[in-house]
Amino acid sequence: MVSVNGVTVSFGGYNLFDNVSFLINPKDRIGLAGKNGAGKSTMLKLLAGHQSPTKGEVSIPKECKIGYLPQDMTHQHGRTVFEETESAFAEIKAMQARLDDINHQLETRTDYESDAYMKLIEDLTEINTRLDIVGASNTTEEIEKILGGLGFERREFTRQTSEFSGGWRMRIELAKLLLQKPDVLMLDEPTNHLDIEAIQWLEEFMETFSGAVVLISHDKTFLDTVTKRTIEIVNQKIYDYRTNYSHYLELRAERKEQQENAAKNQQRIINQYETLIDKNRAKASKAAFAQSLIKKLDKMDRVEVDDVDTASVRFRFPAPAHSGKIVITSEHAGKKYGEKQIFSDANFIITKGEKIGLVGRNGEGKSTMMKMIAKKIQFDGTVQLGHSVLMGYFEQDQEEKLNLDKTVFETIDELAVGDVRRQVRSLLGSFLFGGEDIDKKVKVLSGGERGRLALCKLLLEPYNLLLLDEPTNHLDIKSKEVLKQALIDYEGTIVMVSHDRDFMTGMCDRLFEFRDGHVKEYLCDIKEFMEIRKVERLNQLDLDKSGVKAVQVAEKKVVSSSDFEAAEKKKQQTQIQSQIKKVEENITRLEAEIKLLDDKLAIPEAYEALTKDPHFFASYNTLKKELENEMAKWEDLSSKLA
């Protein structure tokens, strides 16, 4: 379908790719992999025909339609959402106009036997066939389906595109591409501005998409779900793996190990050759032998070990200061902008050490709730922080709020106090700011670098509550994994908004869903929540089509104060039961050890040998004392459980 033949791309004398070739087949699902700067976006531009190679060629058949979604684009204004999306059907509109013209000519012309008249009939048949193939009769239904899947409400179809943020306008461009049904769909970070539900819908759409897909993404779950082939760009070469991203990582590690072993073996041979050359080159009788070894060395193809990017953010959050048991209390909290009610009557309690995820579609109030907790905006009801709570807040656009005229070092140094001031350079180094990078102005940093710098600021205080609104934006997959582990190890309380399912998996104790003006609690992880939402969406589709009553999906209501007390009591009971189990295990162990010694003391020969040890009776009495303490502990815990 699309072939890359001996392509080389050079910038200022440096080769980004050197003589690479591969083929994109119909229905391929390809993920481009490689470290930042390896050339993934450049490769996508080459494939889309938006850039030309220095050497070689990218061959695209004339009848092959390419759809390309770049990270940054120029958006059109002056139309409604529906009108702009409908422009995807420009080809259909042109064919329909041509069809109307042909029909008019056939009605008015009388030269029925002429070649021109017969050509009109042929064109009529061809256009009708083409319109049937592209589904011209249900364009409105297709537009509504795609826009709905990407998160647009029906009432928003008539709003001007200029009223939406850049992220929502990107969704309109994606909708236009999907409606055009290209033969090859090329997507550069398509999930950046999508919420979890829209990402899941896009994954499901890809399952039935008839064309090929080539994409770049830092969303590991999205890559694993969509792609079946991974093309890695490394050291100006490509490696083609017929598998998804996670399995590719395993195969790449095996390949690197093989390269390292081959390089070691080759170096051993080279060392042997060089030793023989040095030993024999001065001898007249061995000079020819030495020269032959030199020629062998010159002709030898040196094994290259791929320069895999191993750099990643590495850090741990400082131990948090102590706080009260209850960290956040929300009672009848709500927010409206003008006449628009975002949500209302949010009631919940978050306790010390919990990790809470806020989920839901964009615009439902997740970031608004974060601002309410941080007291950044006015709102209805109350949201109260508990005793001795120290809050660190990472906003969604945190990197944009950095002082652009300060250097990286100044940004951290001005906030660092005490011992931290002496560790600013090492702290920045753990966030990949080393050498001259620390003297760069913030305004010249990339989005990813600014995001890392904003995260670094969170380590300057021992916060016991972290509010994290999309902390993984602009982070690569490896840095996300390090951040995730740091948050799992963090001993404080976390309230987090994220659309990255892999990042949230295994992280959150509870989820609060913001939907249709309400807040609901789910006592499950993100995977189970997504299954619930998927079932509900399928049920809604059944309702829309047939009106048949859908299967009800059980969901947990947000806890009230009384619910919280009951839950706390149950939690304490579970903890006591766990402690009793451990105490009983200790009692069983101690009793067994004491019985063993008692049995030995009953044997005269063993008694005489044991009593010769001056420490024996001290150890024996210690065991008995430990048993008494464990028995007392068991009685105390049992009374609490009663």
Side-chain angles (χ1 to χ4, degrees):
M1 185 180 288
V2 176
S3 62
V4 176
N5 304 308
V7 163
T8 297
V9 173
S10 302
F11 293 106
Y14 170 77
N15 285 346
L16 193 59
F17 314 122
D18 186 12
N19 194 32
V20 302
S21 301
F22 62 92
L23 184 68
I24 300 174
N25 303 301
K27 297 190 177 181
D28 262 346
R29 298 289 187 270
I30 300 172
L32 296 183
K35 66 180 183 180
N36 291 339
K40 299 187 295 293
S41 292
T42 300
M43 178 60 77
L44 217 56
K45 290 175 184 175
L46 289 170
L47 295 171
H50 287 237
Q51 187 170 324
S52 299
T54 308
K55 294 179 183 176
E57 64 173 359
V58 177
S59 179
I60 304 173
K62 285 185 179 180
E63 67 278 6
C64 180
K65 187 193 296 184
I66 302 293
Y68 171 53
L69 183 77
Q71 283 194 55
D72 303 305
M73 63 188 73
T74 303
H75 301 283
Q76 301 297 321
H77 297 305
R79 296 178 181 174
T80 65
V81 170
F82 191 91
E83 289 168 345
E84 181 60 32
T85 309
E86 193 179 28
S87 68
F89 295 119
E91 180 189 358
I92 290 178
K93 296 292 184 186
M95 284 193 292
Q96 287 173 335
R98 174 60 179 156
L99 195 65
D100 291 341
D101 179 56
I102 290 173
N103 283 324
H104 177 70
Q105 289 192 54
L106 291 176
E107 290 172 3
T108 57
R109 292 177 62 157
T110 57
D111 55 335
Y112 308 120
E113 303 297 328
S114 67
D115 291 341
Y117 194 90
M118 296 306 295
K119 181 67 168 65
L120 287 175
I121 294 175
E122 289 176 10
D123 289 348
L124 178 71
T125 304
E126 184 181 334
I127 292 173
N128 276 319
T129 302
R130 178 64 181 161
L131 287 172
D132 286 339
I133 291 172
V134 298
S137 60
N138 61 345
T139 55
T140 299
E141 182 183 338
E142 285 289 305
I143 291 171
E144 291 177 353
K145 173 186 170 185
I146 298 294
L147 287 176
L150 290 173
F152 287 93
E153 301 286 346
R154 189 179 294 273
R155 55 186 168 78
E156 295 174 323
F157 291 178
T158 55
R159 287 177 57 188
Q160 292 289 311
T161 58
S162 57
E163 298 176 27
F164 290 86
S165 66
W168 283 97
R169 292 201 292 271
M170 189 281 292
R171 294 189 190 206
I172 296 172
E173 296 301 319
L174 178 56
K176 287 161 61 177
L177 280 183
L178 299 181
L179 287 166
Q180 289 168 4
K181 299 176 183 175
D183 298 301
V184 184
L185 184 60
M186 299 184 184
L187 307 173
D188 196 347
E189 294 289 355
T191 64
N192 272 358
H193 301 287
L194 300 182
D195 54 48
I196 289 178
E197 287 190 39
I199 293 171
Q200 189 178 44
W201 176 88
L202 183 58
E203 288 172 351
E204 293 167 5
F205 181 91
M206 291 298 180
E207 288 179 8
T208 58
F209 178 65
S210 59
V213 177
V214 185
L215 64 89
I216 300 168
S217 179
H218 287 154
D219 187 325
K220 187 177 178 182
T221 303
F222 183 73
L223 281 170
D224 281 345
T225 303
V226 174
T227 64
K228 302 289 188 296
R229 182 180 167 193
T230 303
I231 293 179
E232 180 190 29
I233 303 171
V234 59
N235 287 357
Q236 306 171 19
K237 305 187 294 288
I238 66 159
Y239 293 93
D240 200 340
Y241 297 84
R242 302 283 170 167
T243 187
N244 66 14
Y245 184 81
S246 290
H247 191 215
Y248 139 75
L249 291 177
E250 297 173 9
L251 295 176
R252 184 186 68 178
E254 292 175 9
R255 186 193 81 220
K256 191 168 189 296
E257 184 179 357
Q258 290 168 357
Q259 288 177 338
E260 289 171 345
N261 291 335
K264 287 177 183 176
N265 292 334
Q266 187 183 64
Q267 189 59 47
R268 196 177 299 118
I269 294 170
I270 291 170
N271 292 341
Q272 291 171 354
Y273 279 14
E274 289 175 343
T275 301
L276 289 170
I277 290 167
D278 291 340
K279 190 181 294 184
N280 295 294
R281 72 195 317 166
K283 299 177 183 177
S285 60
K286 298 288 187 178
F289 173 64
Q291 285 300 317
S292 69
L293 291 179
I294 291 171
K295 289 178 181 178
K296 281 186 178 181
L297 279 180
D298 291 339
K299 291 179 180 178
M300 186 179 290
D301 289 330
R302 302 300 172 102
V303 175
E304 289 186 18
V305 178
D306 291 330
D307 182 22
V308 178
D309 187 14
T310 56
S312 64
V313 175
R314 54 192 187 280
F315 69 96
R316 287 179 60 90
F317 284 101
H322 291 293
S323 71
K325 179 69 176 175
I326 295 178
V327 176
I328 302 172
T329 304
S330 174
E331 294 182 347
H332 308 294
K335 177 63 181 176
K336 64 164 59 176
Y337 290 101
E339 297 299 316
K340 182 177 174 59
Q341 184 77 47
I342 307 301
F343 63 86
S344 61
D345 205 31
N347 299 286
F348 56 81
I349 294 172
I350 297 174
T351 59
K352 181 180 179 180
E354 282 195 297
K355 294 178 172 63
I356 305 297
L358 307 187
V359 297
R361 296 171 299 187
N362 287 346
E364 294 280 1
K366 303 184 298 297
S367 295
T368 299
M369 174 56 78
M370 300 287 258
K371 291 174 183 174
M372 290 163 59
I373 295 172
K375 299 293 189 290
K376 294 276 186 180
I377 56 174
Q378 297 294 319
F379 55 90
D380 301 323
T382 60
V383 177
Q384 189 69 39
L385 295 183
H387 178 67
S388 299
V389 172
L390 298 174
M391 180 186 65
Y393 181 26
F394 183 93
E395 298 183 67
Q396 192 171 138
D397 57 350
Q398 187 75 40
E399 66 273 10
E400 296 176 13
K401 298 187 177 182
L402 298 170
N403 188 326
L404 300 181
D405 293 320
K406 291 186 180 295
T407 66
V408 170
F409 182 84
E410 289 168 346
T411 300
I412 301 302
D413 186 57
E414 69 178 5
L415 296 174
V417 294
D419 292 338
V420 178
R421 292 213 67 176
R422 295 193 292 272
Q423 302 171 20
V424 170
R425 290 180 183 275
S426 61
L427 179 61
L428 286 169
S430 70
F431 281 83
L432 308 185
F433 293 107
E436 298 177 356
D437 290 341
I438 66 172
D439 296 320
K440 287 182 179 177
K441 296 276 189 181
V442 172
K443 61 186 172 187
V444 304
L445 300 181
S446 67
E449 289 171 328
R450 292 186 192 184
R452 296 203 307 269
L453 186 60
L455 273 174
C456 183
K457 290 176 67 177
L458 282 180
L459 271 68
L460 299 177
E461 296 281 351
Y463 299 117
N464 48 35
L465 169 64
L466 293 179
L467 303 181
L468 304 175
D469 195 351
E470 295 290 357
T472 63
N473 277 357
H474 307 298
L475 292 185
D476 59 36
I477 291 175
K478 285 188 296 182
S479 296
K480 286 181 188 180
E481 290 171 351
V482 175
L483 174 59
K484 177 178 178 177
Q485 190 57 53
L487 292 175
I488 289 173
D489 295 339
Y490 175 65
E491 297 173 2
T493 307
I494 297 172
V495 181
M496 176 175 63
V497 176
S498 178
H499 295 146
D500 191 314
R501 291 157 296 171
D502 183 71
F503 183 75
M504 292 189 74
T505 299
M507 175 93 69
C508 298
D509 306 312
R510 292 187 285 162
L511 301 175
F512 292 160
E513 183 192 26
F514 289 70
R515 190 177 189 85
D516 299 330
H518 302 287
V519 183
K520 299 175 184 176
E521 180 191 30
Y522 289 81
L523 301 176
C524 61
D525 66 10
I526 190 65
K527 287 186 176 178
E528 188 178 343
F529 169 76
M530 293 309 300
E531 286 301 314
I532 291 171
R533 295 299 309 131
K534 185 174 182 179
V535 170
E536 288 180 344
R537 190 166 66 253
L538 291 173
N539 282 337
Q540 188 59 50
L541 285 173
D542 289 340
L543 277 171
D544 293 342
K545 289 178 180 178
S546 62
V548 178
K549 186 177 180 181
V551 178
Q552 294 297 311
V553 178
E555 60 188 22
K556 310 278 187 188
K557 295 291 183 183
V558 179
V559 291
S560 63
S561 297
S562 58
D563 293 331
F564 171 73
E565 290 170 5
E568 274 295 292
K569 185 175 181 180
K570 184 176 180 181
K571 183 178 177 181
Q572 290 171 3
Q573 297 276 332
T574 302
Q575 290 174 344
I576 291 171
Q577 287 173 342
S578 177
Q579 291 171 354
I580 287 175
K581 184 178 179 182
K582 289 181 181 178
V583 170
E584 288 175 343
E585 290 172 354
N586 287 338
I587 290 172
T588 302
R589 176 181 56 80
L590 290 167
E591 286 178 339
E593 290 179 14
I594 292 170
K595 184 178 185 303
L596 182 64
L597 292 176
D598 286 340
D599 290 344
K600 287 183 178 180
L601 289 171
I603 303 171
E605 296 84 357
Y607 177 86
E608 187 176 345
L610 289 171
T611 53
K612 285 181 181 179
D613 182 357
H615 303 294
F616 170 75
F617 281 108
S619 301
Y620 182 71
N621 290 328
T622 299
L623 284 175
K624 286 198 167 186
K625 186 65 176 175
E626 284 182 18
L627 180 60
E628 289 175 10
N629 290 338
E630 291 297 314
M631 292 296 292
K633 193 183 295 183
W634 183 87
E635 289 177 6
D636 181 53
L637 289 169
S638 297
S639 65
K640 290 179 181 178
L641 195 61

